[in-house]
Amino acid sequence: MARLSQLGVRVPCRIAIHQDARDSSRYVADIAQAGLGLPDRDYYLNADDAKLADVLAKYQLHVEKMLTMAGSTSAAVDATAIVAFETALACVQWSRVENRDPVKTYNRVAVAQMAAVAPGFDWLSFLERAGISARASEVIVSQPSYLTGFAELADKTSLGTWKAYLQMHLISAYASFLSTPFVDAHFAFFGTTLTGVNAMAPCWKRAVSTVDAAMGEALGKLYVENHFPGERKARMEALVQNLLTAYRQRIATLDWMGDATRQEAQAKLAKLSAKIGYPATWRDYSALKVACDDLVGNVMRARVFESQRELGKLGKPIDRDEWGMTPHTINAYYNPEMNEVVFPASILQPPFFNPDADDAVNYGAIGAVIGHEISHAFDDQGAQYDGDGNLRNWWTATDHANFTAKTRMLVAQYNRYSPLPEYAVNGELTLGENIADNAGVAIAYQAYQLFLDGKKAPVIDGLSGDQRFFMGFGQVWRSKMREAQQIVQLKTDPHAPGQFRANGTMRNQPAFHAAFAVKPGDQMYLAPQDRVRLW
């Protein structure tokens, strides 16, 4: 298991290295639940859902096929055993909503005590061969009851089932790089059956993705050199500062927050840092061996290289220049332990940012994205960390109760949204992102008003500045998704589907109602008392 995890193979326990949530000045090793071949435990446990049950049945057939191609003479029996084993793992796993709680998922355990916490599995050997024991005397256990349940299961599972399970996941982890029958079989299930995609990406796209996964920052450096002019970074820096100013003003005037909590919130905001475009120091890949005639070997070496790079952090100072995304990733993030927002170069293009567009559109698009990421510092998870990145309760009881009451309203709102018959948005799973969407737009709108500085925005194509602002936001979330992939998203993604990120957010904004004269009876109308405004 330790060796396979370094090779990027799915095993029942995942080890991750990151900052200690209780002491952000050091790195720790986390042990968390893993090991399922399907996206979420619901695929194994919701037998009354015909679509999920069908996927599970087809998954078992897929496992049998992969084992057969690998030369197994007992593929059908082994596939049944593997699915039963994964179902048993799913039964003891925590839900994605439970895993959103950073306090419950922080459980410090001495390496020497792991056998007592979860008897039945040889933790000492596992952690030694994973390289943890030589570098750390303790680990953070994310889901203690899962480890207990897994250890009991591991102890009573036959060696034959273990071999088949690990062999199958090794094959699956590398199927995309093997001969055509393996590539096709892997895509037929994970592409077509699971997500509804009928055509495989062309070879060149898969090749670029493989290089990206192996040495992403090297690829990112080329991207920046060719597609990210310096003036774009300067404009982004100015936008970030405007959003921070708007946030400071908003915190200062919140009617539901007391002075003690307000001071802590302002202190956290003052310590928040922003990274824009690309890292200050590019990652060194010179030790990674790449051979032009060894695709699988290259992928293996790249995965081990990254595993060893992560492992090497233990016992060393925090690298505050490190990025968790490559510059060519169209995304952004907030890291609570670093208290930083990060905006890769690639998101600074249409529809998020258009250097030739009207300022109203850019404030509604990239401005709302900036506000969204800053807001994560104050969503239901991020608000549990202080300005130094440590889990610490800096809220008064009254303010926390006020905040919780508002978040409950937001949960109830999004629970009512449904992109497919019988499949609703999970308001608790998506709460953090929904808070950030709603707060991000509100803060971006305030920043846009600061930018106007009392001047009236021009009317363009018959649209006012406020209308263009909200349309800029709506453009960001245009999307199309196949039904199967929509179900995967609803089960696994902490973001609501795009149409609800747009319309659900707009319904809570008083300025949106004013800009478009939304009135009772309109589908976008939401009564003032039902609108949720947090930040």
Side-chain angles (χ1 to χ4, degrees), residues 309-332:
R309 189 188 71 83
E310 287 287 321
L311 194 61
K313 295 177 182 178
L314 289 175
K316 293 182 180 177
I318 299 297
D319 179 4
R320 299 197 172 272
D321 291 329
E322 183 180 23
W323 279 50
M325 283 180 182
T326 57
H328 52 285
T329 299
I330 305 174
N331 209 333

Side-chain angles (χ1 to χ4, degrees), residues 316-488:
K316 293 182 180 177
I318 299 297
D319 179 4
R320 299 197 172 272
D321 291 329
E322 183 180 23
W323 279 50
M325 283 180 182
T326 57
H328 52 285
T329 299
I330 305 174
N331 209 333
Y333 68 91
Y334 170 73
N335 181 345
E337 282 126 358
M338 286 277 199
N339 192 27
E340 66 179 8
V341 287
V342 182
F343 304 99
S346 195
I347 201 171
L348 303 180
Q349 60 180 326
F352 294 97
F353 175 74
N354 186 343
D356 300 322
D358 165 52
D359 287 294
V361 175
N362 279 327
Y363 269 93
I366 195 63
V369 171
I370 296 168
H372 172 107
E373 299 305 337
I374 294 173
S375 298
H376 274 311
F378 303 98
D379 69 17
D380 64 313
Q381 288 179 300
Q384 299 183 63
Y385 294 80
D386 63 20
D388 295 319
N390 295 311
L391 268 178
R392 176 175 70 83
N393 183 16
W394 45 270
W395 294 68
T396 65
T398 299
D399 291 339
H400 188 269
N402 291 338
F403 180 74
T404 300
K406 287 179 176 288
T407 62
R408 286 194 187 118
M409 287 180 65
L410 207 59
V411 168
Q413 254 186 38
Y414 282 80
N415 277 339
R416 290 192 288 269
Y417 296 136
S418 176
L420 297 171
E422 301 180 14
Y423 290 91
V425 176
N426 185 332
E428 290 183 303
L429 175 62
T430 58
L431 177 59
E433 299 297 337
N434 297 335
I435 291 172
D437 279 344
N438 282 270
V441 170
I443 298 301
Y445 179 76
Q446 184 163 329
Y448 175 56
Q449 300 308 309
L450 291 174
F451 165 79
L452 290 175
D453 194 25
K455 302 182 183 69
K456 188 173 179 61
V459 174
I460 301 176
D461 294 334
L463 299 171
S464 70
D466 280 12
Q467 288 175 329
R468 296 195 305 278
F469 170 89
F470 290 113
M471 291 182 75
F473 179 77
Q475 286 184 139
V476 166
W477 302 117
R478 291 177 300 177
S479 60
K480 295 178 79 172
M481 190 175 292
R482 291 174 173 84
E483 180 178 296
Q485 177 58 34
Q486 185 75 86
I487 294 172
V488 172

Side-chain angles (χ1 to χ4, degrees), residues 1 11-13 33-34 85 88-89 92 118-123 126 144-157 162 165:
M1 276 178 56
V11 295
C13 297
Q33 65 186 30
F85 177 68
L89 287 178
V92 293
F121 183 74
D122 190 353
W123 294 107
F126 175 63
S145 64
Y146 169 77
L147 287 198
T148 302
F150 156 69
E152 293 175 356
L153 180 63
D155 192 39
K156 66 184 181 184
T157 298
W162 266 114
Y165 168 82

Side-chain angles (χ1 to χ4, degrees), residues 192-210:
T192 303
T193 299
L194 190 59
T195 66
V197 179
N198 295 316
M200 197 181 305
C203 185
W204 73 265
K205 284 192 175 184
R206 288 181 280 138
V208 171
S209 295
T210 302

Side-chain angles (χ1 to χ4, degrees), residues 27-57:
Y27 289 111
V28 290
D30 268 19
I31 301 180
Q33 65 186 30
L36 303 183
L38 293 174
D40 187 77
R41 66 176 197 166
D42 281 2
Y43 282 84
Y44 299 86
L45 305 182
N46 286 11
D48 56 341
D49 185 314
K51 288 186 173 67
L52 300 191
D54 181 61
V55 170
L56 181 61

Side-chain angles (χ1 to χ4, degrees), residues 197-345:
V197 179
N198 295 316
M200 197 181 305
C203 185
W204 73 265
K205 284 192 175 184
R206 288 181 280 138
V208 171
S209 295
T210 302
V211 175
D212 185 25
M215 47 179 68
E217 282 200 12
L219 203 60
K221 187 176 181 182
L222 292 175
Y223 178 86
V224 168
E225 289 171 357
N226 287 277
H227 302 291
F228 190 63
E231 63 268 18
R232 200 166 293 182
K233 183 172 183 176
R235 286 186 66 176
M236 186 67 170
E237 289 171 343
L239 275 167
V240 170
Q241 290 308 311
N242 287 350
L243 267 293
L244 288 172
T245 297
Y247 225 114
R248 281 193 290 272
Q249 292 180 352
R250 182 61 62 89
I251 291 173
T253 58
L254 287 173
D255 59 2
W256 57 267
M257 179 178 281
D259 289 340
T261 307
R262 196 187 317 274
Q263 289 178 10
E264 289 273 9
Q266 295 283 24
K268 179 173 184 177
L269 190 67
K271 290 183 177 181
L272 184 140
S273 63
K275 293 176 179 176
I276 298 168
Y278 51 88
T281 304
W282 295 102
R283 196 166 295 169
D284 181 7
Y285 295 97
S286 59
L288 174 59
K289 179 185 175 184
V290 179
C292 63
D293 59 350
D294 187 15
L295 175 59
V296 170
N298 289 338
V299 174
M300 283 187 168
R301 286 186 291 273
R303 291 177 178 181
V304 171
F305 176 88
E306 177 61 16
S307 176
Q308 293 300 316
R309 189 188 71 83
E310 287 287 321
L311 194 61
K313 295 177 182 178
L314 289 175
K316 293 182 180 177
I318 299 297
D319 179 4
R320 299 197 172 272
D321 291 329
E322 183 180 23
W323 279 50
M325 283 180 182
T326 57
H328 52 285
T329 299
I330 305 174
N331 209 333
Y333 68 91
Y334 170 73
N335 181 345
E337 282 126 358
M338 286 277 199
N339 192 27
E340 66 179 8
V341 287
V342 182
F343 304 99

